């Protein structure tokens, strides 16, 4: 049988020396950038992101609520702003060899225009095909074959 032990409020309270804190109000904490108490982790993330070679990955782990995901996301966003926007890659069907699609690199400002043109083409094809398939000349060729 287990014994039930009750704790007093004093036994579960952590006392902190206010003079040991390096801020006056919690408003000062908003200017903090990083993961509190994890200088080595922050340095490792910055080093990993700065690697300009393929094959390097960053693995981040830790307790829930420590701010690691938010820090990494915010850091990557700030670093991405300093980098040139990469090309946008589209894979096109290769009619000669369907197992090997063709890669098409588009500049970021060309991608939305390309999408618009493809959507217009699809709309035109959807409007044209039914009429072409119902045309008497097509129906006559279909019957004769």
């Amino acid at each position: 049988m287990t014994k039930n032990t009750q704790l007093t409020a004093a036994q579960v309270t952590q006392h902190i020396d206010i003079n040991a804190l390096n801020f006056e109000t919690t408003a000062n904490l908003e200017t903090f950038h990083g993961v509190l108490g994890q200088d080595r982790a922050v340095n490792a993330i910055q080093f990993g992101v700065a690697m300009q070679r393929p094959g390097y990955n960053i693995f981040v782990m830790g307790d829930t609520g420590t701010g690691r995901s938010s820090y990494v996301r915010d850091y990557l966003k700030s670093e991405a702003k300093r980098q040139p926007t990469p090309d946008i890659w589209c894979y096109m069907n290769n009619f000669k060899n369907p197992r090997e699609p063709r890669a098409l690199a588009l500049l970021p400002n060309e991608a939305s225009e390309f999408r618009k043109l493809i959507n217009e083409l699809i709309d035109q094809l959807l409007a044209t095909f039914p009429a072409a398939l119902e045309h008497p000349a097509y129906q006559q060729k279909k019957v004769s074959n």
Side-chain angles (χ1 to χ4, degrees):
M1 189 148 90
T2 60
K3 183 178 178 183
N4 210 0
T5 305
Q6 291 186 348
L7 300 174
T8 65
Q11 290 175 304
V12 294
T13 302
Q14 178 69 38
H15 296 283
I16 299 173
D17 180 12
I18 293 176
N19 296 326
L21 301 176
N22 60 356
F23 57 90
E24 292 182 27
T25 69
T26 54
N28 298 62
L29 296 177
E30 292 179 21
T31 60
F32 174 75
H33 298 289
V35 181
L36 194 58
Q38 298 294 328
D39 294 335
R40 285 181 54 213
V42 169
N43 290 336
I45 292 167
Q46 292 171 350
F47 175 79
V49 170
M51 293 301 296
Q52 296 293 320
R53 301 181 76 192
Y56 286 88
N57 299 296
I58 298 173
F59 180 77
V60 180
M61 61 182 275
D63 293 331
T64 303
T66 58
R68 68 191 185 287
S69 296
S70 300
Y71 172 75
V72 171
R73 184 175 33 259
D74 293 345
Y75 183 73
L76 290 176
K77 282 182 183 179
S78 70
E79 285 299 304
K81 288 178 184 175
R82 291 185 242 199
Q83 303 290 327
T85 304
D87 291 343
I88 296 175
W89 289 87
C90 299
Y91 293 97
M92 311 295 287
N93 187 25
N94 181 351
F95 292 100
K96 290 182 180 177
N97 189 354
R99 291 181 179 257
E100 295 180 12
R102 294 179 172 260
L104 174 66
L106 298 171
L107 296 174
N109 58 347
E110 296 174 329
S112 60
E113 180 65 21
F114 180 73
R115 178 176 49 197
K116 181 181 146 209
L117 291 172
I118 290 294
N119 284 333
E120 287 174 6
L121 174 66
I122 291 170
D123 290 343
Q124 289 174 1
L125 290 173
L126 290 174
T128 305
F129 275 147
L133 296 176
E134 293 171 3
H135 193 273
Y138 175 77
Q139 291 297 326
Q140 201 171 29
K141 283 183 183 179
K142 187 172 92 172
V143 172
S144 65
N145 287 336

